[in-house]
Every structure is written in structure tokens, then in C-alpha cells.
Amino acid sequence: EIVLTQSPGTLSLSPGERATLSCRASQSVSSSYLAWYQQKPGQAPRLLIYGASSRATGIPDRFSGSGSGTDFTLTISRLEPEDFAVYYCQQYGSSAYTFGQGTKLEIK
Amino acid sequence: EVQLVESGGGLVKPGGSLRLSCAASGFTFSSYSMNWVRQAPGKGLEWVSSISSSSSYIYYADSVKGRFTISRDNAKNSLYLQMNSLRAEDTAVYYCARAVDAICFDYWGQGTLVTVSS
């Protein structure tokens, strides 16, 4: 099973700043099979990025994804107040899905 | 508008059973693989099970294999999860999620809470 490790666990930033979230896989992941989600308290997750770098429908262009192999990154170029949430990466492989443990993005 | 609405959660004793349902609307249900994903209180997301569009392919996480059964009824636009031999560690919000190209989950329900406790 591929294990995804996200870092940092918590990221404290101010609105307007740039956020860089990391997702590292225990073995190589096809870029096609790497996604990112945002989850706010009491809500279901929302798909942000699929295929490592493609934005889902309706996602603002301040969100971008990059990476390949075992290292992937979610970047939020300029934080808006509504971006403070928990972010998860997810991969698909061998007929199973795994999620990272999450990065909490909090207001500094 | 795509909608996924889960139901069937509740309080159950260890060793008990529960059946979750997910009613889908706003898309051609029979064309998509569907999944259950859970989230224990204060914890991260855990994929539970997947079923292909025609029920030909079914997969489970090791943590639920042999205890949970996923199924669907395309005529009723519904997804199910039969949960047997429930344990305290199965306590979680259970989400129904649509898979796009079987790679990631583009639509999620609001979730239904399952609590396993004596």
C-alpha cells in the first residue's frame, strides 16, 4: 500500500500570503492518479486538483498543483480568508485509494 | 445538479449491523463507479470501498474486508453499504462519493454518522 505523508501538519499564515503544502509518497505515484481536496469544519471534502495539476471545475486559479514521482505540491498563491481549512492529498493505485493525513492551514 | 444523500447512520452496539444508503440524483448514476469514504471524529479520510458502474468490480480496504459489503441498484440510483460485526473503530462519518475515471472523487454527500458503542 502506498503511504502518503503530508507536511507540515499545521501551517500558520496570513491572508495574502503564499501557501505551499507538500505530499510525499512512499513509492512512485502516477501523476494521473494524484488529487488534492479541501475540507472545512462540518463539511464534506471538495475536490481541488486532479491529475496532480488540473483544477477541478469552479476552483480559482490561485490554487495550483505540481509534482511527479513521489513528491507533489499544492500551492495557494494568495490566501483568501475562505482558504483556511484542512487539505488532503489522495492517490489511486492497485484498485485502492489512500489519503494523506492532512495539513491544517490556519490563520496566523 | 449532482446530489448524493446518505442515510442509515446511527448508534449501534459492538458486533451489531447497520446498512447505509446513498441516493444519487442529477447525473447518470449507472455510468459512474461509486465509493464509501469515512472519517473518524477529529481524524483524516479513509477510503472504505469501491464498486464499478455495473457492479463488476468491487474493492475493500483491508480494515473492513469480510465485514462490509458494498452494492448498488442502478434502477433506483442508489448505493449501499452493509456493515456487519461493527467495532468501536468503525465509528465515523461515512461519505458516499462519486469517482471520476475511477481516479478521484468529484462529488461527495454530506455524510452520515455511525457510532459503535455499548
Side-chain angles (χ1 to χ4, degrees):
Chain A
E1 173 186 300
I2 295 178
V3 176
L4 299 178
T5 301
Q6 293 186 239
S7 61
T10 301
L11 185 58
S12 299
L13 294 170
S14 300
E17 290 193 291
R18 180 185 186 90
T20 303
L21 287 66
S22 173
C23 176
R24 178 162 290 178
S26 58
Q27 54 187 281
S28 186
V29 172
S30 167
S31 297
S32 298
Y33 298 157
L34 195 287
W36 290 91
Y37 301 84
Q38 176 193 67
Q39 187 178 33
K40 296 180 180 180
Q43 297 184 15
R46 175 173 71 145
L47 178 65
L48 297 176
I49 300 287
Y50 64 94
S53 61
S54 297
R55 276 187 298 277
T57 303
I59 302 303
D61 60 7
R62 64 179 181 274
F63 290 90
S64 63
S66 62
S68 63
T70 60
D71 290 298
F72 297 88
T73 300
L74 175 69
T75 301
I76 311 172
S77 59
R78 285 181 56 86
L79 286 165
E80 298 288 342
E82 62 267 27
D83 298 337
F84 291 92
V86 179
Y87 291 84
Y88 295 94
C89 57
Q90 169 253 312
Q91 71 84 35
Y92 170 76
S94 301
S95 304
Y97 304 83
T98 55
F99 291 89
Q101 83 280 15
T103 289
K104 182 180 181 180
L105 179 56
E106 65 177 24
I107 299 177
K108 187 174 182 180
Chain B
E1 177 194 7
V2 172
Q3 282 201 318
L4 298 169
V5 180
E6 302 94 336
S7 61
L11 176 63
V12 61
K13 289 181 169 53
S17 297
L18 212 54
R19 188 192 194 211
L20 305 184
S21 298
C22 171
S25 61
F27 66 103
T28 305
F29 181 72
S30 59
S31 296
Y32 289 85
S33 62
M34 297 296 296
N35 294 261
W36 290 98
V37 178
R38 69 184 180 184
Q39 186 170 35
K43 302 297 185 183
L45 301 167
E46 179 188 18
W47 169 75
V48 172
S49 183
S50 174
I51 184 168
S52 63
S53 58
S54 60
S55 305
S56 299
Y57 301 97
I58 289 176
Y59 304 103
Y60 299 98
D62 288 344
S63 58
V64 306
K65 204 171 292 183
R67 301 187 299 122
F68 289 13
T69 302
I70 191 172
S71 62
R72 65 190 295 162
D73 185 335
N74 287 344
K76 294 183 178 179
N77 290 342
S78 293
L79 175 72
Y80 307 101
L81 186 67
Q82 177 66 44
M83 303 186 295
N84 298 331
S85 303
L86 283 161
R87 307 166 179 166
E89 54 265 34
D90 295 319
T91 294
V93 173
Y94 284 74
Y95 294 102
C96 163
R98 187 179 85 168
V100 56
D101 293 331
I103 294 173
C104 59
F105 311 119
D106 61 345
Y107 286 95
W108 299 63
Q110 85 289 350
T112 187
L113 176 62
V114 172
T115 303
V116 184
S117 174
S118 55

